[in-house]
Amino acid sequence: MKTILLFILISAGISDGYDQTSQTQRTDNPMGWTMVDQESEIRVYERWVTTENGLSVRERRGEFDMQAEPAQLATFILDVSQWKKWMSQVESSRIIGTKTPHRFYAYTRFSVPKPFSQRDLVSVITVSTSSDKRSYRIDLRSAEGVVPEYNNVTRVDGYKAVWTLTRLEENKVHVCFTALSSEPPVFPRWIQDPVIKRMFMNNLTNLKSEFHE
């Protein structure tokens, strides 16, 4: 059971739910967010959305305020080499190819317990700012055809995430992070969902603590 839970944690860091049932059959409101967790001034919300290929998937959103300037926090989040310090189960991560101030690719390998196959993610990251530099947006999407797939390594696909960093006042920023994945769940949702929700919260908590160290 410990090994299974560890593998769920790894999936949780990059996967945010999947369901093949129609949204019209669900009792929750697919158009609105529902708060499902709150801890240390971090609020986590969930909703079900339909992807372009017709799948119903769970989207998660975390929001909180923290002491930082948007540019400083954006620089911290974009430091790919340090992701393993605050993203659970990240074994290594690095920039691949040519980096520009507004777009680059990253390769991430996840630490997976045996006997499960290793997992990795190739992502394209784009950065945009408002004209007054008070708001930063970081988009991360899984990318295909950039790095060949390795033997015995499962490539994560269908992942999308967005960081929005908005300046509230001097040295104070509002953080909004949303993420979803169209990958099918590895385990039944009643086992996987609570662990994924816990992991989502932990990563945001780790971000706050690591930034201020």
Side-chain angles (χ1 to χ4, degrees):
M1 178 59 71
K2 182 178 180 181
T3 299
I4 292 176
L5 290 177
L6 281 172
F7 185 60
I8 293 175
L9 292 179
I10 293 157
S11 300
I14 51 181
S15 178
D16 293 288
Y18 168 98
D19 194 8
Q20 292 182 320
T21 61
S22 170
Q23 284 188 334
T24 59
Q25 295 175 328
R26 305 192 63 85
T27 57
D28 52 332
N29 178 9
M31 299 303 295
W33 294 95
T34 300
M35 190 169 73
V36 295
D37 200 3
Q38 183 171 9
E39 183 178 309
S40 301
E41 300 180 347
I42 298 174
R43 300 171 303 282
V44 174
Y45 303 83
E46 294 179 352
R47 69 176 179 179
W48 289 89
V49 298
T50 302
T51 63
E52 295 178 355
N53 56 2
L55 295 176
S56 182
V57 301
R58 190 195 306 274
E59 183 177 23
R60 283 188 169 83
R61 185 181 91 217
E63 289 194 49
F64 56 94
D65 300 338
M66 62 181 290
Q67 298 299 311
E69 289 292 337
Q72 295 174 331
L73 187 55
T75 299
F76 180 82
I77 293 172
L78 292 168
D79 188 354
V80 173
S81 65
Q82 300 301 308
W83 283 358
K84 62 183 179 181
K85 289 187 176 181
W86 58 276
M87 291 187 184
S88 299
Q89 304 302 323
V90 169
E91 180 180 285
S92 63
S93 51
R94 68 182 188 274
I95 293 174
I96 53 178
T98 303
K99 180 182 179 181
T100 71
H102 304 292
R103 182 182 173 89
F104 62 93
Y105 290 88
Y107 177 81
T108 306
R109 177 68 68 91
F110 298 93
S111 176
V112 180
K114 294 181 179 180
F116 300 104
S117 64
Q118 296 295 302
R119 292 167 71 85
D120 64 5
L121 169 69
V122 178
S123 54
V124 56
I125 301 169
T126 56
V127 185
S128 57
T129 63
S130 61
S131 58
D132 58 7
K133 304 297 183 182
R134 293 178 64 90
S135 179
Y136 282 69
R137 178 185 169 107
I138 301 170
D139 286 83
L140 186 152
R141 294 188 176 216
S142 54
E144 297 180 0
V146 180
V147 176
E149 295 189 21
Y150 300 104
N151 292 332
N152 301 318
V153 178
T154 301
R155 179 65 49 85
V156 175
D157 192 18
Y159 180 70
K160 300 178 182 179
V162 177
W163 292 91
T164 304
L165 316 174
T166 306
R167 191 176 193 266
L168 300 176
E169 57 189 57
E170 184 177 0
N171 200 39
K172 189 172 185 180
V173 61
H174 178 73
V175 180
C176 179
F177 174 66
T178 61
L180 63 84
S181 172
S182 58
E183 285 203 328
V186 180
F187 297 96
R189 283 186 49 230
W190 66 270
I191 296 177
Q192 185 163 306
D193 281 2
V195 182
I196 291 177
K197 186 167 65 175
R198 180 72 263 162
M199 178 63 64
F200 191 88
M201 174 67 80
N202 286 347
N203 283 346
L204 297 179
T205 301
N206 292 342
L207 169 69
K208 291 181 69 174
S209 61
E210 284 292 332
F211 177 82
H212 288 298
E213 283 191 357

